[in-house]
C-alpha cells in the first residue's frame, strides 16, 4: 500500500504517503491509536515592537508573532527496512532533516533530528521547534520534569503562586525541559524524552513543542553584549527525541526506565584487538 | 597514566549559569568547549587503563567521539576490531550498536564467541554504511564484541527506497 509504515512488536508509526510526515502512532500492546502529526517550525525572532522593545536573544526568547512558520509542508522521504532497524529518512529543507527509527523490541519511536546551519540571510533570527499535534483533550495542562526527577504540572497562561497577567502568549508559556515533556487526556499519554535540556511547551490542547536550535541577530540587552549568532555559517545540531504512547496509568514506568537508559546510555570503545595479556602469566 | 582531574575541573567551571544555559559570549562558549575537550584526552587514557586491567588485555583503545555523525576511522578502515560497550546503569541493557563501516559484510561475535545477527545499512543521500548489531551489556559492566570483515562478499547493504514524492 502507499501508506508508509514502520512497525515492531510494540509500536506502529504511519506517515502520510504524500507529505512524508508522521501522522499516526499505535501502541500495539494496549491497542492505543493516536493520530499525531510531527513537523518542524520556526519562530521569527522579535527585534522589538510597539508593545515592547525587548529583543529575542540569549537570555530572552521572544518571537515576533504567535504563530511559527512551517519548515515545509512535506518531506522527501526514503525508507530503510532491515531485520534490525526500520527507518524513515525525512528531508524537510537544506537545513532540517530527521530520521524516524524503530528497533526490534523497542517501545519508543526514535526521532533523530538534524537542524542547521540556520540561514539568516533574510535578516530574520530563527528559533526552530519540533511540534507534535494531537486531538488529546488536555484542558490547558502539560507536564515537564525538573532535572529528571520531579514532574511539574504546567497550566497555560497561569502561575500557581501569583496572579499572572500574561503578556507573552508564547514565551510566557515556555518552560525548561531537562529530560521529558508529556500531555495526557487521562486515558492516553504522549511523552517526549529529550537527550539534552530544551525549552518546551504546549500552546494548544493536544500539542507539544520543543525548541531544538536558535540563531539570532540582535543582543537582548541583558548583559551578554552580543547576539546568539555563531560565527561563519553557524552550527548545525543533531539530537534525538524519543516518543512514547501509553496508557496514562502506566506511562511512568515506560518513560522513567527509558529516560534512565537515555541519560546513562552505554559508552562504546573500540580497539584493533589481539592485545598482549595485562597480567603476567 | 590517565587523569580525570582536568575534566572534573572543566565540569566544575561549567556549573556557571552561562555554561548551562548558553548565555555567554561566543568566545567564552568556545573556551568552555576547549576546556571540556582538553579534559577528555587524559580521561580516555584513564578509561583505557581501567578497561585493560578489567579485561585482562592491553589494547590500543580508540574513542570515536563523532559516532553521531557516523565518523570513526577505526571501524571504517580496520578489517577486524573489538567493540567494548560499557553500561553505567545498575541493570542489564540491550543496546543497538551502530558503527560506520566500509562497504563489506561483517561477522559479529558476542563475548562467548557466538555469531550475533548484524546488518549493514546504507545512509540515504550518502554512500555511508553503518553496521548494526544488538549488544547485551551487564549492569555496571561491559561486554566485548568482535567484528570481522568477511572477505570476498559484497554487502547486500539495505539501501533505501523513496518513500514519497512531492505532492502534485
Amino acid at each position: 500500500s502507499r501508506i508508509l509504515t514502520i512497525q515492531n512488536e510494540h509500536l506502529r508509526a504511519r506517515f502520510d504517503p504524500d507529505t512524508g510526515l508522521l501522522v499516526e502512532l499505535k501502541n500495539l500492546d494496549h491497542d492505543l491509536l493516536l493520530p499525531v502529526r510531527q513537523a518542524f517550525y520556526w519562530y521569527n525572532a522579535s527585534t522589538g515592537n510597539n508593545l515592547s522593545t525587548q529583543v529575542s536573544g540569549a537570555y530572552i526568547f521572544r518571537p515576533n508573532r504567535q504563530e511559527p512558520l512551517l519548515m515545509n509542508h512535506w518531506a522527501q522521504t526514503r525508507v530503510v527496512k532491515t531485520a534490525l532497524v526500520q527507518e524513515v529518512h525525512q528531508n524537510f529543507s537544506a537545513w532540517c532533516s530527521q530520521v524516524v527509527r524503530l528497533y526490534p523490541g523497542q517501545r519508543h519511536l526514535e526521532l533523530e533530528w538534524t537542524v542547521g546551519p540556520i540561514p539568516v540571510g533574510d535578516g530574520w533570527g530563527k528559533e526552530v521547534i519540533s511540534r507534535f499535534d494531537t486531538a488529546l483533550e488536555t484542558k490547558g495542562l502539560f507536564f515537564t520534569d525538573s532535572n529528571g526527577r520531579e514532574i511539574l504540572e504546567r497550566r497555560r497562561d497561569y502561575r500557581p503562586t501569583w496572579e499572572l497577567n500574561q503578556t507573552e502568549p508564547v514565551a510566557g508559556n515556555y518552560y525548561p525541559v531537562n529530560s521529558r515533556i508529556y500531555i495526557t487526556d487521562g486515558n492516553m499519554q504522549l511523552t517526549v524524552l529529550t537527550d539534552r535540556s530544551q525549552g518546551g511547551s504546549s500552546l494548544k490542547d493536544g500539542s507539544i513543542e520543543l525548541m531544538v536550535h536558535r540563531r539570532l541577530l540582535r543582543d537582548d540587552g541583558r548583559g551578554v553584549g552580543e547576539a546568539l549568532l555563531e560565527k561563519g555559517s553557524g552550527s548545525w545540531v543533531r539530537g534525538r527525541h524519543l516518543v512514547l504512547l501509553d496508557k496514562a496509568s502506566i506511562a511512568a514506568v515506560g518513560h522513567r526506565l527509558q529516560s534512565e537508559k537515555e541519560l546513562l546510555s552505554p559508552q562504546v570503545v573500540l580497539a584493533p584487538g589481539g592485545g598482549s595479556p595485562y597480567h603476567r602469566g | 597514566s590517565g587523569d580525570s582531574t582536568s575534566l572534573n575541573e572543566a565540569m566544575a567551571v561549567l556549573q556557571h549559569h552561562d555554561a548551562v544555559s548558553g548565555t555567554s559570549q561566543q568566545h567564552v562558549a568556545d573556551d568552555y568547549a576547549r576546556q571540556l575537550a582538553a579534559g577528555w584526552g587524559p580521561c580516555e587514557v584513564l578509561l583505557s587503563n581501567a578497561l585493560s586491567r578489567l579485561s585482562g588485555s592491553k589494547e590500543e583503545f580508540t574513542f570515536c567521539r563523532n559516532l553521531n555523525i557516523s565518523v570513526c576511522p577505526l571501524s571504517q578502515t580496520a578489517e577486524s576490531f573489538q567493540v567494548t560497550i560499557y553500561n553505567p546503569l545498575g541493570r542489564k541493557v540491550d543496546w543497538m550498536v551502530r558503527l560506520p563501516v566500509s562497504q563489506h559484510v561483517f561477522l559479529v561475535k558476542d563475548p562467548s564467541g557466538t555469531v550475533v545477527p548484524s546488518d549493514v545499512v546504507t545512509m540515504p543521500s550518502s554512500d555511508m554504511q553503518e553496521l548494526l548489531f544488538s549488544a547485551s551489556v551487564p549492569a555496571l559492566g561491559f561486554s566485548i564484541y568482535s567484528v570481522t570483515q568477511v572477505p570476498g562478499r559484497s554487502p547486500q547493504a539495505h539501501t533505501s527506497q523513496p518513500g514519497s514524492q512531492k505532492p502534485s
Side-chain angles (χ1 to χ4, degrees), chain A residues 189-203:
Chain A
Q189 176 169 319
L190 182 71
T191 305
V192 181
L193 301 180
T194 58
D195 61 355
R196 67 200 69 181
S197 293
Q198 288 167 336
S201 186
S202 169
L203 295 177

Side-chain angles (χ1 to χ4, degrees), chain A residues 52 54-55 57-60 219-225, chain B residues 23:
Chain A
S52 158
Q54 182 58 59
V55 169
Y59 273 94
I60 303 277
D219 173 52
D220 56 14
R222 301 285 168 151
V224 177
Chain B
T23 49

Side-chain angles (χ1 to χ4, degrees), chain A residues 150-222:
Chain A
E150 185 187 2
I151 295 288
L152 301 171
E153 178 186 283
R154 308 295 193 181
R155 178 191 301 277
R156 213 173 306 131
D157 297 332
Y158 169 79
R159 291 298 185 278
T161 49
W162 82 88
E163 193 60 40
L164 174 68
N165 163 31
Q166 183 58 281
T167 57
E168 291 290 341
V170 176
N173 286 304
Y174 255 67
Y175 290 90
V177 174
N178 299 116
S179 66
R180 76 207 76 188
I181 181 170
Y182 65 77
I183 52 175
T184 176
D185 64 355
N187 301 311
M188 274 197 246
Q189 176 169 319
L190 182 71
T191 305
V192 181
L193 301 180
T194 58
D195 61 355
R196 67 200 69 181
S197 293
Q198 288 167 336
S201 186
S202 169
L203 295 177
K204 284 196 288 286
D205 275 9
S207 169
I208 287 180
E209 62 187 69
L210 286 159
M211 190 168 287
V212 293
H213 196 6
R214 308 170 75 201
R215 193 160 186 231
L216 308 174
L217 301 176
R218 301 284 191 82
D219 173 52
D220 56 14
R222 301 285 168 151

Side-chain angles (χ1 to χ4, degrees), chain A residues 24-45:
Chain A
E24 183 190 274
L25 263 184
K26 182 167 188 180
N27 175 323
L28 302 171
D29 299 330
H30 301 294
D31 198 24
L32 298 174
L33 183 68
L34 181 67
V36 50
R37 300 183 63 79
Q38 183 272 339
F40 289 89
Y41 301 77
W42 57 275
Y43 286 105
N44 189 341

Side-chain angles (χ1 to χ4, degrees), chain A residues 25-212:
Chain A
L25 263 184
K26 182 167 188 180
N27 175 323
L28 302 171
D29 299 330
H30 301 294
D31 198 24
L32 298 174
L33 183 68
L34 181 67
V36 50
R37 300 183 63 79
Q38 183 272 339
F40 289 89
Y41 301 77
W42 57 275
Y43 286 105
N44 189 341
S46 171
T47 54
N49 60 11
N50 55 328
L51 295 177
S52 158
T53 57
Q54 182 58 59
V55 169
S56 207
Y59 273 94
I60 303 277
F61 163 45
R62 186 172 188 245
N64 82 342
R65 45 178 263 184
Q66 228 165 295
E67 279 309 312
L69 295 103
L70 182 61
M71 186 75 73
N72 201 334
H73 296 272
W74 67 287
Q76 190 172 33
T77 56
R78 303 191 68 92
V79 182
V80 177
K81 289 195 177 181
T82 79
L84 294 184
V85 72
Q86 299 192 23
E87 302 179 342
V88 174
H89 292 242
Q90 301 169 311
N91 212 1
F92 297 92
S93 75
W95 49 285
C96 182
S97 62
Q98 177 170 255
V99 183
V100 183
R101 278 195 189 104
L102 254 189
Y103 291 118
Q106 190 171 284
R107 284 183 166 81
H108 62 269
L109 193 66
E110 176 183 304
L111 277 61
E112 183 186 70
W113 45 267
T114 304
V115 175
I118 297 178
V120 288
D122 52 14
W124 288 343
K126 297 177 178 68
E127 313 187 79
V128 185
I129 63 169
S130 170
R131 195 173 84 189
F132 303 80
D133 290 315
T134 75
L136 287 177
E137 292 174 16
T138 53
K139 302 184 176 66
L141 295 180
F142 59 105
F143 301 83
T144 63
D145 74 295
S146 174
N147 282 332
R149 290 191 300 274
E150 185 187 2
I151 295 288
L152 301 171
E153 178 186 283
R154 308 295 193 181
R155 178 191 301 277
R156 213 173 306 131
D157 297 332
Y158 169 79
R159 291 298 185 278
T161 49
W162 82 88
E163 193 60 40
L164 174 68
N165 163 31
Q166 183 58 281
T167 57
E168 291 290 341
V170 176
N173 286 304
Y174 255 67
Y175 290 90
V177 174
N178 299 116
S179 66
R180 76 207 76 188
I181 181 170
Y182 65 77
I183 52 175
T184 176
D185 64 355
N187 301 311
M188 274 197 246
Q189 176 169 319
L190 182 71
T191 305
V192 181
L193 301 180
T194 58
D195 61 355
R196 67 200 69 181
S197 293
Q198 288 167 336
S201 186
S202 169
L203 295 177
K204 284 196 288 286
D205 275 9
S207 169
I208 287 180
E209 62 187 69
L210 286 159
M211 190 168 287
V212 293

